[in-house]
Amino acid sequence: MDLAYIPSPSTGVIHLGPLPLRGYAFCIIIGVFVAVWYGNKRWLARGGKAGTVADIAVWAVPFGLVGGRLYHVITDYQLYFSEGEDWVDAFKIWEGGLGIWGAIALGAVGAWIGCRRRGIPLPAYADAIAPGIAFAQAIGRWGNWFNQELYGKPTDLPWALKISEGVNREAGLYHPTFLYESLWCVGVALLVVWADRRFTLGHGRAFALYVAAYCAGRGWIEYMRVDEAHHILGVRLNVWTAILVFLAAVAYIVVSSRVRPGREEVVEPAAVTAGGGSRGDESGGTADTTAQESADSADPAGSVPVDSAGDTAPGDRLRKPGAAEAADA
């Protein structure tokens, strides 16, 4: 008798009248909102403007969804184009099937377009949204739970996932690889946040760290899965992909830290023009701006102390008329 296990939902769809609410799509949508919300907070902390992350996400998210679906359909084409299968099912994204590799690759193209339109460096934007993407993946993986898919090998562990009989699956207790990856993604997000604060990562290195850390976990989690997949030299295709992408991300971190050390001082020129600072707080202000305003309020006439001979007093600097106004423009 099985004393403990994780139950699976009896259905992944809830109908509100004629409107179906699918758990898989719901998890994806929540993940996107979390990524944009947290990315916006990090962007503001870097000196950017509110709303920029969401504006660029309008480009990145659709591109990412298309890329993720394309990767899945191409690498698992037999599910849609082999004899007896209906190719129309390739468009039924709500039934599951998004490849993170394609989602990140094509999503980056969409983000690049959005960044170009706003005059923003893509690496800085990628650094800001990196942990948010990891949190989004952690939430999105629960969509696989609703669909009873992407589980691992049979197990009798207390946290085993109970799978019911269905199309292309046998009832039993299996490793909850969706849960493993969800927890791993949370750890990746926390790692990126910590490393970014500790080492002041810039020029895309926070994003590269997210990619490398995710691939490290995806490799061993993918190895546990039992769903049908293409193999190369006896190893699942996604394991090879994780290894290659991991090496590329690590190489980028090493080379980038030598070629472009430090962090970008200005991430959004429009924010600086509007009066924000390059390294401001969430309101876009800087310590220098605050100091200038304090000096202006203490000396509203902009006067300069002079001695009896008409020279400026020692230790004081001349301030040209209109300098504060020019800084605030």
Side-chain angles (χ1 to χ4, degrees):
M1 179 178 179
D2 301 314
L3 298 179
Y5 59 82
I6 301 174
S8 292
S10 58
T11 178
V13 184
I14 299 177
H15 290 274
L16 294 180
L19 180 65
L21 297 179
R22 303 182 184 276
Y24 185 88
F26 193 60
C27 291
I28 297 296
I29 293 172
I30 294 177
V32 169
F33 274 104
V34 169
V36 172
W37 169 77
Y38 190 55
N40 182 67
K41 288 178 65 68
R42 286 174 53 84
W43 187 250
L44 290 173
R46 290 284 301 273
K49 295 176 62 177
T52 295
V53 170
D55 290 345
I56 297 176
V58 171
W59 290 90
V61 172
F63 272 73
L65 291 175
V66 172
R69 188 60 174 178
L70 281 176
Y71 181 89
H72 167 72
V73 172
I74 291 173
T75 56
D76 291 308
Y77 61 87
Q78 73 281 355
L79 300 177
Y80 308 100
F81 301 106
S82 59
E83 185 178 355
E85 302 294 342
D86 188 357
W87 63 271
V88 176
D89 291 341
F91 297 95
K92 297 179 180 179
I93 192 173
W94 55 87
E95 294 183 353
L98 287 176
I100 185 60
W101 317 111
I104 294 296
L106 208 55
V109 174
W112 176 78
I113 294 174
C115 287
R116 288 272 295 180
R117 291 169 60 90
R118 297 292 293 262
I120 293 171
L122 177 60
Y125 179 81
D127 284 343
I129 65 172
I133 294 177
F135 281 130
Q137 287 179 254
I139 298 171
R141 271 305 175 201
W142 285 85
N144 301 130
W145 177 63
F146 280 101
N147 286 352
Q148 295 196 45
E149 59 185 2
L150 305 187
Y151 45 84
K153 301 174 182 178
T155 181
D156 57 358
L157 292 171
W159 56 85
L161 176 67
K162 187 174 184 179
I163 296 295
S164 61
E165 188 73 25
V167 180
N168 297 324
R169 68 173 187 251
E170 296 181 3
L173 298 177
Y174 301 88
H175 277 285
T177 50
F178 85 90
L179 178 60
Y180 298 162
E181 186 166 339
S182 179
L183 295 175
W184 183 270
C185 287
V186 171
V188 169
L190 297 177
L191 171 66
V192 174
V193 171
W194 171 82
D196 195 27
R197 292 175 178 173
R198 175 66 176 81
F199 303 106
T200 316
L201 301 176
H203 301 288
R205 288 188 286 278
F207 184 82
L209 176 61
Y210 144 71
V211 172
Y214 171 75
C215 290
R218 180 61 185 267
W220 66 267
I221 294 172
E222 184 74 24
Y223 187 76
M224 297 179 65
R225 283 167 47 172
V226 295
D227 54 299
E228 185 178 354
H230 293 287
H231 290 70
I232 300 176
L233 300 177
V235 179
R236 292 170 67 97
L237 174 61
N238 281 334
V239 175
W240 285 112
T241 304
I243 293 173
L244 294 176
V245 175
F246 171 83
L247 293 175
V250 172
Y252 179 88
I253 294 173
V254 174
V255 174
S256 175
S257 61
R258 295 179 179 178
V259 176
R260 306 188 70 182
R263 174 184 283 180
E264 301 92 339
E265 293 185 357
V266 176
V267 296
E268 188 167 4
V272 178
T273 304
S278 59
R279 295 293 302 279
D281 55 16
E282 294 189 3
S283 65
T286 63
D288 291 340
T289 304
T290 304
Q292 183 65 66
E293 292 174 352
S294 299
D296 291 343
S297 61
D299 187 15
S303 60
V304 179
V306 297
D307 58 18
S308 57
D311 296 324
T312 56
D316 292 312
R317 296 183 300 171
L318 287 172
R319 182 167 66 89
K320 295 182 179 179
E325 292 77 4
D328 294 336

